[in-house]
Amino acid sequence: RGQIVVVGNQKGGSGKSTTTMHIIAALLSSGAKVASIDLDARQGTLSRYVENRQAFMQRKGVKLPMPTHRSIEPSTVASTDVARAHDQHAVERAVQDLAMRHDYVVIDTPGTDNFLSRVGHSFADTLITPLNDSFVDLDVLATIDPETYAMTRPSKYAEMIFQVKMQKARRDRSNRTFEWIVMRNRTGQLDSRNQRAMDEALEKLSQRIGFKLVPGFSERVIFRELFLDGLTLLDLKTKGTDVKMSMSHLAARQEVRDLMSEIGLESAAT
Amino acid sequence: RGQIVVVGNQKGGSGKSTTTMHIIAALLSSGAKVASIDLDARQGTLSRYVENRQAFMQRKGVKLPMPTHRSIEPSTVASTDVARAHDQHAVERAVQDLAMRHDYVVIDTPGTDNFLSRVGHSFADTLITPLNDSFVDLDVLATIDPETYAMTRPSKYAEMIFQVKMQKARRDRSNRTFEWIVMRNRTGQLDSRNQRAMDEALEKLSQRIGFKLVPGFSERVIFRELFLDGLTLLDLKTKGTDVKMSMSHLAARQEVRDLMSEIGLESAAT
Ligand SMILES: Nc1ncnc2c1ncn2[C@@H]1O[C@H](COP(=O)(O)OP(=O)(O)OP(=O)(O)O)[C@@H](O)[C@H]1O
Ligand SMILES: Nc1ncnc2c1ncn2[C@@H]1O[C@H](COP(=O)(O)OP(=O)(O)OP(=O)(O)O)[C@@H](O)[C@H]1O
Ligand SMILES: [Mg+2]
Ligand SMILES: [Mg+2]
């Protein structure tokens, strides 16, 4: 059965889709069989990325490894109970079907709280939460004391994770839960007072609410520059995708490789 | 009647709440009477900012100008028609009531498409759409040709704006619509191929779908560093809020001042 990786955060724009694309590309470039599910079908950034990748291959006549992609919309049935049953069933069927035939299933979720996203989270073996290096993003995880940087109470997303873990334990009748990893994203190259304050707050928070903190990605144009072609920096070694590798590209590649080993997705991402 | 400024973009994390906070602070520091409405009550970044500001004043014993703040949740009534009538009425009443007693009403909206947000957009005199300097963000506005950077079709948010403009014209029985301003946010300090490509795509797009493009804000830590205290760089001249003004602060202050004059909110933001 393939490993299920969910990328989630109720905070908008934290880097969920960007992280999902790079994990998929890194796994593909190591030769793994990968499936992807877009649970944010309304906005559909991940689905658009896969479409752009398909169009690039046709336009340039090159062959790139592709994920098996599915996009799931929330049910629009008027009755909430029936809609939820539809959502639960749609995700369950897709995950089980894809996990049987692939090494990894990577799931992108929306920047809001909805039932479909909660169902997706409940199937995670690994949950990855990207976070901008900002107390604005942190606020959706926990309310922080402005003087001590300690948590005063968990916020909406942390509450959701507690609830999803309990739901998963009940459904699977086991204590096996998922590993929760918080990765910093779009961190500045220069050290700042804000970055040190975030360091301190995140260290304290990871003890209190139980997640593993990893360095993640710096703010680098290469993480977003290739979206229109459906490429990531992991694809640049393929013939026909010629883009000159700069120092920043090499550093970005190292950050992706480090992320993959931190989350136990050993990949030969070269 | 006060001028109504709506900050909107269905793309998550584009900088809506950050922009809203800075517009409110700039208007307050010019002595204007300002009201604020949070239509993203579930995540509540703007409401948390106002709470943090209140707590800072109590903790430090300083007096800061404050907006009259309201937060409106979407109606949870099961029937969609009744819920929409509630949402319409709640926003209409709040806007009319606040606009009578204030010079400006500034409204923050969520990073998704929901009925409450559409109602908020329909009351705009000025709509401001912050956008990350990325084709990922641009994709929610329009699908762009990867070779020519021209629009191939409008996307979800542009479609929504067309619909809201029509709805507003019908409701107000007039052709008076709102000015739509797109501001670039978190732009890099270094010139890059990506930035030039975004320049070209945005220039073309502003002609095609009809918005005014303004430079907006660079990526600067000062735009997010003071969130826990509910402050912005506009507040730093007030006694008791001592933070040493750096070159970046002065440049950020200029960017806020430029934004205010681009959107016709002349303010004495000093
Ligand atoms: N490490 C990075 N370096 C540079 N830009 C980045 C990085 N990570 C994300 N971005 C950019 O930041 C913006 C937000 O990222 P993204 O869309 O992946 O976030 P998201 O959490 O999926 O957003 P949403 O909540 O809308 O689904 C995009 O414009 C993206 O290109
Ligand atoms: N100009 C800027 N410089 C530095 N950081 C910024 C800037 N603008 C926004 N940010 C940071 O980027 C992140 C996203 O900004 P913000 O939360 O204001 O966006 P939003 O559009 O309101 O998001 P949501 O869709 O979740 O409501 C936050 O962490 C914020 O602190
Ligand atoms: Mg996304
Ligand atoms: Mg916001």
Side-chain angles (χ1 to χ4, degrees), chain A residues 52-116:
Chain A
N52 290 347
R53 191 176 180 84
Q54 193 70 44
F56 176 83
M57 290 198 303
Q58 273 153 16
R59 207 165 60 243
K60 302 284 189 194
V62 287
K63 187 90 194 78
L64 290 169
M66 287 294 284
T68 309
H69 185 67
R70 298 267 179 91
S71 174
I72 300 176
E73 305 249 358
S75 164
T76 51
V77 168
S79 147
T80 308
D81 290 342
V82 175
R84 291 193 167 190
H86 284 189
D87 287 348
Q88 176 81 32
H89 185 61
V91 175
E92 199 158 341
R93 214 181 46 230
V95 168
Q96 282 166 0
D97 177 34
L98 293 170
M100 265 167 18
R101 302 180 288 123
H102 296 82
D103 303 320
Y104 300 96
V105 179
V106 190
I107 303 175
D108 190 20
T109 61
T112 58
D113 180 10
N114 67 22
F115 186 74
L116 196 68

Side-chain angles (χ1 to χ4, degrees), chain A residues 234-268:
Chain A
L234 282 310
D235 299 301
L236 296 183
K237 61 177 185 285
T238 316
K239 251 189 136 26
T241 60
D242 1 322
V243 172
K244 224 174 64 276
M245 296 289 283
S246 70
M247 279 311 288
S248 179
H249 290 185
L250 295 172
R253 189 180 281 269
Q254 190 55 46
E255 287 176 356
V256 174
R257 205 176 304 169
D258 291 346
L259 175 71
M260 298 303 279
S261 67
E262 288 274 17
I263 59 185
L265 303 183
E266 288 317 325
S267 86

Side-chain angles (χ1 to χ4, degrees), chain A residues 197-209:
Chain A
M198 280 291 289
D199 287 348
E200 191 182 331
L202 280 166
E203 272 313 321
K204 286 181 174 165
L205 198 61
S206 76
Q207 315 288 335
R208 281 292 299 273
I209 59 179

Side-chain angles (χ1 to χ4, degrees), chain A residues 11-19 40 43 45 108-111 185-186 217-221 223-224, chain B residues 10-13 132 134 136-137:
Chain A
K11 177 68 186 77
S14 53
K16 295 176 290 291
S17 302
T18 299
T19 301
D40 185 13
Q43 186 172 294
T45 302
D108 190 20
T109 61
N185 187 31
R186 301 187 77 175
F217 299 158
S218 309
E219 165 84 17
R220 296 182 190 281
V221 172
F223 282 120
R224 58 176 186 240
Chain B
Q10 280 182 28
K11 177 68 185 78
N132 275 300
S134 164
V136 170
D137 273 41

Side-chain angles (χ1 to χ4, degrees), chain B residues 209-254:
Chain B
I209 59 179
F211 56 74
K212 177 180 172 186
L213 186 61
V214 303
F217 299 158
S218 307
E219 166 84 14
R220 297 181 190 280
V221 172
I222 186 64
F223 282 120
R224 59 175 185 241
E225 189 172 12
L226 305 174
F227 174 76
L228 285 186
D229 290 328
L231 302 176
T232 66
L233 61 100
L234 281 311
D235 301 300
L236 296 182
K237 60 175 187 285
T238 316
K239 256 202 130 20
T241 58
D242 337 322
V243 172
K244 223 175 64 277
M245 295 287 282
S246 70
M247 278 310 288
S248 180
H249 290 185
L250 295 172
R253 190 181 277 271
Q254 189 56 47

